[in-house]
Amino acid sequence: MHGESRWAAVLVVRILQNEKYKGDLLMQKYYIRDFLTKELEKNDGKLTQYYVENDHEAIIEREIWDAAQLEINRIKEFKRNHQIRELGSSSLEPFYGKIFCGCCGGRMVKKSRKSVWRCINSGKEKGGFCKAKPVEGHKMEEYVSAAWAQLVSQRENLLSGWEKDIAQGNALERLRAAQMKELTEKYPDWFQVAKNTRMVIGEIIIGGDKGCEILFMDGVRLVTD
């Protein structure tokens, strides 16, 4: 935390990737480069490393740790595909970094104190080459609410897919499927589940020919008008 009240993102990722939390131990991550100064250097293959499973009592379940690694990789790929340097997160704006223009693929942004989402490539600083129309914040909520209602209405048809992921998927697929199965049963209305927006919504594409296309974290993709 570096003495501050906020956690640095790089420190959080380092903690999430530390195998010690699931009870394992990777030996010789670092080695002493200079025995006089005791200076350490990261071992990038110069020395043999040894991995010990179940070395000590785990802090978190192995399944959760594995899911976290898959989610970290998913975020990296997501940022690469959308050419985003930092995805970011905000409790005040849960859609941040998740809405993209259906016309040019650019990220949709909302300036502070304004409730309108605009394509980042439509501003004067970008030359204004994208002609996508801005979207009111309340309209975005309506799109997502309609998509959630559509998802809930299709729940019986989706259950078999979720059950299959829970039984046969990787750690992240099992977690996402279980979450969607539970949330769609407990919260039929969007306003009940909206606090979990960042956990439920993976991507929103708006402004193209398809209306509003919403990708949920479990892989289900729906289109609303």
Side-chain angles (χ1 to χ4, degrees), residues 36-225:
L36 293 178
T37 62
K38 306 298 182 181
E39 185 177 356
L40 292 176
E41 184 167 313
K42 186 175 181 179
N43 182 9
D44 291 324
K46 187 173 183 179
L47 298 178
T48 301
Q49 293 181 317
Y50 302 93
Y51 195 90
V52 182
E53 292 188 355
N54 301 314
D55 174 77
H56 53 276
E57 184 177 354
I59 297 176
I60 62 172
E61 296 178 13
R62 186 175 297 272
E63 176 88 350
I64 298 298
W65 192 91
D66 290 342
Q69 309 319 301
L70 292 168
E71 176 64 5
I72 290 171
N73 291 332
R74 185 199 69 81
I75 291 174
K76 288 180 180 178
E77 184 177 357
F78 184 89
K79 291 193 295 184
R80 183 169 58 252
N81 290 341
H82 290 291
Q83 299 180 357
I84 301 174
R85 180 175 297 179
E86 293 297 333
L87 182 59
S89 176
S90 171
S91 58
L92 298 178
E93 186 42 74
F95 291 131
Y96 180 85
K98 290 181 176 287
I99 308 177
F100 300 90
C101 177
C103 295
C104 71
R107 184 162 54 93
M108 301 284 283
V109 297
K110 185 173 74 170
K111 293 185 178 180
S112 58
R113 299 182 182 180
K114 292 186 178 181
S115 60
V116 178
W117 291 90
R118 298 178 183 275
C119 175
I120 197 171
N121 294 322
S122 65
K124 294 181 180 180
E125 67 276 6
K126 294 288 184 177
F129 68 83
C130 182
K131 304 303 180 183
K133 295 181 180 180
V135 181
E136 294 285 346
H138 70 87
K139 190 65 177 178
M140 190 67 67
E141 289 285 353
E142 290 175 9
Y143 283 132
V144 176
S145 179
W148 183 257
Q150 187 178 345
L151 185 76
V152 171
S153 70
Q154 297 177 13
R155 186 176 187 274
E156 291 302 317
N157 296 328
L158 294 169
L159 276 175
S160 60
W162 291 333
E163 293 287 0
K164 182 178 179 180
D165 283 344
I166 291 172
Q168 303 177 15
N170 61 40
L172 184 58
E173 290 169 341
R174 290 194 292 270
L175 176 64
R176 295 297 189 198
Q179 287 174 339
M180 294 299 283
K181 180 181 176 182
E182 178 183 3
L183 292 173
T184 51
E185 181 180 23
K186 293 175 62 176
Y187 307 118
D189 297 319
W190 173 250
F191 77 89
Q192 297 174 303
V193 76
K195 63 182 179 180
N196 298 310
T197 294
R198 297 198 70 82
M199 181 179 77
V200 173
I201 303 294
E203 176 181 299
I204 300 174
I205 301 175
I206 192 168
D209 299 330
K210 295 183 178 181
C212 183
E213 186 176 357
I214 298 176
L215 174 68
F216 291 93
M217 282 294 199
D218 65 326
V220 174
R221 189 180 296 270
L222 298 174
V223 176
T224 59
D225 297 322

